[in-house]
Amino acid sequence: MSAMTRAKLGCRIFSVHLPPNLGGYNIKIRDSCLVSVHFSRGFKGVHTSIKSITCLIPSQSTAKNWKENSAVATDDRVVMDIVQDLPCFTIDQSSLMHIVEMRSLDQLHKFGGVHGIANSLNSDVHRGIDSDDNAGISRRHEAFGTNTYSEAAGKNLFHLVWEAFDDSKLNILLGFAMMALSFDIKSNGLMEGLYGGGSIFSAVLVVLSIVASTDFRKNRNYSENFMVSDSSPVEVMRNGKLKHISTSEVAVGDVICLKIGDQVPADGLLIEGPALRVDESSMTTTGSFHDHEIKHHDQNPFLFSGTKVTVGCARMLVTSVGMNTTRGKMLSSMSSESIEHTPLKSQISRLISSIGEVGSGAAVVAFVLNLIQTKRNYNLERRKKKLKELAMVFTASSAVASSISRNVFGVGKYISKLLKVEQQTSIGNALLGIARPPKPLLIGIPSEAGVFPVLLFIHGYLLYNSFYSQLVQHIASHGFIVIAPQLYSMAGPDTTEEINATAEIANWLSEGLQKLLPPKVQANLSKLALAGHSRGGKVAFGVALGKAVTSLKFSALIGIDPVDGVEKGKQMPPILTYNPHSFNLDMAVSIIGSGLGELRSNFLFPPSAPKGVNHKDFYNECQKPACYFVARDYGHLDMLDDDTSGLRGKATYCLCKNGESRDPMRRFVGGIMVAFMRNYLEGNSRDLQAIRHGHLTAPVELQNVDFLV
């Protein structure tokens, strides 16, 4: 005997999940929407209930929602009454993911644009989701997933050590170590043999530890950077009302209100928002400010989880959440994909290769020596001496490996990242309720979590702050947050406005800086330094001397080839007094000068740092503590980027007397700044003293080094 279930439904295609004790069944669908479910065997006195009904294609004459209801079995059939309550969606998850991930405007238009997608999700672009009860939201989570991220199962340290063995140089090194160990044990006994072969195995461990620990740290940091906080509050429209919920409660179909500084909590589509600019650098590890994209609801409405709003405010429709987002897919694939190479990792890779070559060569020498020792029966003392020399080779290689990360003239241990923040008008500030910077900013930050000191850096005369991008990234890679404002495009001889603007930016830092930084990067404004190049150096000294009032206290001041006007007597306002040690500064000072700054580039242009108003005069008026460095064969603009574009950028190559290359001077300036700030902001004098006493070689020849202590 067969049992039959009948239900009047408004959806032509649906799935019914029944308890397993009902046996096999089949479903028939008729044009009249009468649905029959036939069971292969009969049953008596069994109380059953439908677990879920998922509607995929609703008819036009029926309401959107359905709810399950229990039914009681009789001898020959089960009759179930279906009432309206569950949401009916006319678009599936894969289509939503394809539209946003592929940025497909054609597919979006096929579904009727953003409004059509909202209708397919039973949502409204103005009111949001009408159903705000827990059951309705839970069913959306069941259909499209929750907005949570599962951490990728990254490779553990043991696995990375095992992978490190997949290197030809290491295998050669191990082979020679085994042969050397065998010869030593055979010739000199177990203890002496272990002493000889063990030195080579120690070198292998050094190489393996560098490879494995570096990869392990990069994998862990990369995973942490991709995780999105599930407790951050977001603003959503539900039932036409603004509501604050946590990120994890966001559901597909929600309408989210975004403002400046917000992190986009899920993938979705822009509904409206004029001139919205989004920082998508978190989708890569390049960290370039060129990753900022302007969003438009017609031309580029695609928004991605984890990106950050830098300009404007908007409303978005959520289309994917959690591991179904582009960010979630990237996170889930991290365990099988390789992490992008960084400058630091490239340096370490080259270093490891060098260690492998040195180690292989040393192993060959050790093997040959052991053969000779076995054949000629060298005495024990001579064998010990040679093995000690071999061990010293590996010790020196290890010392080189550890010194790379300490060299302030090279790339630091952090992956640096650039953010570009536009200036906002006072009217825009009032509308958005956020304190925007008084001037456009270029911000260099370490991309890893931590609390970092802050440097306010002022650009030179008629230069763009973007011309210092490589210098800013060099400093940021050593664990500093660098703020480089664009004070002006054109300016006259008077620097009063620039001094006031710099003070205004310094006062803004305490209320506005942290809102622009990633959540895990914290600015320590109690450790604050001020620096400036050329005319910017004069501006920095003007602020430090109190010609404008600041609410924050600076602890260090750096002048990079500072210039006080075109010549003595034509300074507006004058900073130099021409009285030795007359600067009354409650902070340490470092002056960095160029040896070619006093010279003309050609007969058309005057010197960029003329005598009487340049770095020598600034240092003569400094009090203790102060330090002074001059690079001999480099010019006034040699610390700028290798490629400065545009008319002004091209002019930097002909206006001043330049050195052969900008890279050495830029690394020198960055290294001195890092060493000086470590000394006077963090209390670590090791690098500055190493430079002073010649233990750390600078990338340029020094014309003058002097300290006032």
Side-chain angles (χ1 to χ4, degrees):
M1 179 172 62
S2 69
M4 181 176 65
T5 300
R6 292 186 175 90
K8 293 184 179 180
L9 300 177
C11 297
R12 293 190 178 88
I13 301 178
F14 68 101
S15 64
V16 180
H17 301 278
L18 295 168
N21 62 339
L22 298 185
Y25 58 88
N26 59 76
I27 300 172
K28 292 184 179 179
I29 303 172
R30 301 176 184 173
D31 293 337
S32 61
C33 295
L34 180 65
V35 180
S36 300
V37 183
H38 295 268
F39 297 91
S40 59
R41 60 182 176 83
F43 48 90
K44 279 188 178 181
V46 181
H47 182 275
T48 64
S49 64
I50 294 179
K51 291 183 178 179
S52 66
I53 298 177
T54 304
C55 302
L56 299 179
I57 305 180
S59 64
Q60 296 179 352
S61 61
T62 355
K64 298 176 182 177
N65 302 319
W66 300 93
K67 173 170 93 173
E68 63 187 81
N69 194 11
S70 61
V72 179
T74 63
D75 289 349
D76 59 351
R77 64 179 181 175
V78 177
V79 179
M80 284 169 281
D81 296 323
I82 309 299
V83 296
Q84 298 178 358
D85 193 46
L86 269 176
C88 234
F89 307 113
T90 60
I91 187 170
D92 58 11
Q93 181 66 69
S94 60
S95 298
L96 292 170
M97 293 170 63
H98 176 78
I99 290 172
V100 177
E101 183 180 351
M102 303 305 295
R103 304 176 190 250
S104 176
L105 288 173
D106 292 338
Q107 286 293 108
L108 179 60
H109 293 153
K110 287 181 180 179
F111 282 94
V114 179
H115 290 74
I117 297 292
N119 292 334
S120 299
L121 294 173
N122 286 327
S123 181
D124 184 85
V125 295
H126 301 291
R127 293 179 50 83
I129 298 174
D130 282 334
S131 176
D132 196 20
D133 60 293
N134 293 333
I137 299 301
S138 298
R139 288 161 186 160
R140 286 181 180 268
H141 287 164
E142 290 176 5
F144 297 102
T146 60
N147 198 31
T148 55
Y149 295 82
S150 58
E151 187 172 355
K155 299 176 182 178
N156 56 36
L157 187 60
F158 176 79
H159 188 81
L160 293 172
V161 171
W162 180 259
E163 284 188 346
F165 275 100
D166 188 20
D167 185 278
S168 58
K169 297 183 179 66
L170 283 179
N171 292 330
I172 294 172
L173 198 62
L174 284 172
F176 280 117
M178 292 298 297
M179 288 187 285
L181 185 62
S182 301
F183 276 109
D184 269 358
I185 293 176
K186 182 177 180 180
S187 303
N188 308 308
L190 180 62
M191 296 306 297
E192 292 296 329
L194 290 175
Y195 176 82
S199 61
I200 301 178
F201 280 110
S202 298
V204 175
L205 291 176
V206 169
V207 176
L208 285 176
S209 64
I210 294 174
V211 175
S213 62
T214 300
D215 287 342
F216 181 73
R217 183 173 65 87
K218 293 299 179 185
N219 274 286
R220 184 181 61 189
N221 291 337
Y222 194 67
S223 177
E224 289 177 354
N225 288 340
F226 264 80
M227 296 302 291
V228 179
S229 173
D230 59 1
S231 60
S232 302
V234 295
E235 293 183 350
V236 301
M237 293 294 297
R238 288 185 178 174
N239 292 323
K241 297 179 181 179
L242 193 63
K243 183 178 180 180
H244 289 81
I245 63 173
S246 66
T247 303
S248 60
E249 295 178 275
V250 171
V252 170
D254 265 327
V255 173
I256 296 178
C257 301
L258 299 173
K259 61 181 180 300
I260 235 175
D262 283 353
Q263 191 177 44
V264 179
D267 284 2
L269 299 168
L270 178 65
I271 299 172
E272 63 178 0
L276 184 72
R277 188 181 291 270
V278 177
D279 176 12
E280 294 186 352
S281 59
S282 61
M283 306 303 292
T284 66
T285 56
T286 59
S288 170
F289 62 77
H290 295 295
D291 290 322
H292 288 243
E293 280 207 5
I294 299 176
K295 300 293 181 179
H296 191 275
H297 67 279
D298 287 332
Q299 300 173 357
N300 186 16
F302 308 105
L303 295 169
F304 299 95
S305 172
T307 58
K308 196 168 187 177
V309 178
T310 58
V311 174
C313 58
R315 290 186 298 117
M316 68 169 283
L317 174 69
V318 175
T319 58
S320 297
V321 294
M323 299 305 290
N324 290 326
T325 63
T326 304
R327 192 179 186 87
K329 293 177 67 175
M330 295 175 70
L331 182 64
S332 64
S333 64
M334 274 173 43
S335 59
S336 60
E337 293 180 355
S338 59
I339 303 302
E340 183 178 347
H341 282 279
T342 63
L344 176 60
K345 191 168 183 181
S346 298
Q347 277 196 354
I348 293 176
S349 298
R350 291 194 296 269
L351 175 64
I352 291 170
S353 180
S354 300
I355 292 175
E357 293 171 359
V358 172
S360 300
V364 173
V365 173
F367 176 64
V368 173
L369 287 178
N370 275 281
L371 285 177
I372 296 174
Q373 287 171 348
T374 303
K375 185 176 180 180
R376 299 184 180 180
N377 195 20
Y378 277 7
N379 60 64
L380 181 61
E381 292 300 322
R382 190 163 185 175
R383 285 198 299 271
K384 284 184 178 181
K385 181 179 179 180
K386 290 182 179 297
L387 292 171
K388 286 180 180 179
E389 291 175 353
L390 180 62
M392 289 175 64
V393 171
F394 294 112
T395 302
S397 299
S398 301
V400 171
S402 61
S403 66
I404 282 291
S405 62
R406 297 197 301 264
N407 192 339
V408 294
F409 297 119
V411 178
K413 68 177 182 178
Y414 296 98
I415 302 170
S416 59
K417 178 178 179 180
L418 289 177
L419 302 176
K420 190 174 183 181
V421 182
E422 299 296 337
Q423 178 184 7
Q424 188 77 16
T425 64
S426 58
I427 297 177
N429 291 342
L431 291 175
L432 295 173
I434 293 177
R436 298 289 295 156
K439 297 289 182 180
L441 301 180
L442 179 65
I443 304 178
I445 61 171
S447 62
E448 300 177 24
V451 181
F452 304 101
V454 178
L455 169 67
L456 180 57
F457 180 85
I458 310 302
H459 62 83
Y461 184 54
L462 297 181
L463 299 177
Y464 293 126
N465 56 3
S466 60
F467 289 176
Y468 299 88
S469 296
Q470 290 176 277
L471 177 62
V472 168
Q473 285 188 293
H474 180 112
I475 299 169
S477 74
H478 287 276
F480 296 90
I481 297 173
V482 186
I483 312 297
Q486 183 67 49
L487 295 185
Y488 57 85
S489 295
M490 299 296 296
D494 192 345
T495 60
T496 302
E497 290 187 7
E498 296 155 55
I499 293 174
N500 293 333
T502 301
E504 189 179 359
I505 293 168
N507 295 333
W508 167 85
L509 292 177
S510 59
E511 61 175 332
L513 175 59
Q514 191 58 54
K515 297 177 182 178
L516 300 177
L517 301 179
K520 295 183 180 180
V521 177
Q522 302 292 320
N524 186 354
L525 293 176
S526 65
K527 297 179 179 180
L528 182 61
L530 179 62
H533 169 230
S534 186
R535 173 164 160 156
K538 171 182 178 174
V539 172
F541 271 85
V543 173
L545 289 168
K547 294 187 179 296
V549 179
T550 59
S551 58
L552 296 176
K553 176 180 173 58
F554 293 98
S555 301
L557 175 63
I558 305 172
I560 305 171
D561 221 14
V563 178
D564 186 10
V566 294
E567 60 179 301
K568 186 176 180 180
K570 295 184 178 180
Q571 299 133 306
M572 298 174 63
I575 299 296
L576 297 171
T577 64
Y578 301 99
N579 294 318
H581 311 302
S582 60
F583 283 155
N584 186 17
L585 297 167
D586 186 21
M587 64 189 77
V589 182
S590 176
I591 303 294
I592 305 172
S594 63
L596 302 180
E598 297 178 345
L599 304 180
R600 289 174 175 267
S601 174
N602 50 61
F603 70 92
L604 295 175
F605 303 108
S608 299
K611 294 180 180 180
V613 290
N614 64 15
H615 54 88
K616 297 177 183 177
D617 305 283
F618 275 86
Y619 182 66
N620 287 337
E621 299 192 23
C622 290
Q623 299 178 5
K624 300 178 182 179
C627 55
Y628 182 43
F629 304 89
V630 180
R632 180 183 300 277
D633 298 319
Y634 291 87
H636 186 65
L637 300 178
D638 279 339
M639 71 291 301
L640 301 182
D641 290 353
D642 291 328
D643 182 18
T644 49
S645 59
L647 182 60
R648 295 192 192 190
K650 301 306 179 186
T652 61
Y653 293 96
C654 58
L655 291 177
C656 304
K657 185 74 172 177
N658 299 318
E660 292 184 359
S661 171
R662 288 180 172 179
D663 178 71
M665 182 63 171
R666 185 173 56 248
R667 290 192 292 113
F668 168 68
V669 171
I672 295 295
M673 294 176 73
V674 169
F676 178 73
M677 289 191 292
R678 281 181 177 173
N679 194 152
Y680 291 102
L681 295 183
E682 300 180 329
N684 183 355
S685 62
R686 180 190 61 194
D687 296 315
L688 190 61
Q689 293 303 317
I691 297 171
R692 178 183 182 184
H693 298 295
H695 302 317
L696 186 58
T697 304
V700 300
E701 182 181 353
L702 295 178
Q703 179 176 308
N704 195 359
V705 177
D706 192 45
F707 279 72
L708 292 175
V709 292

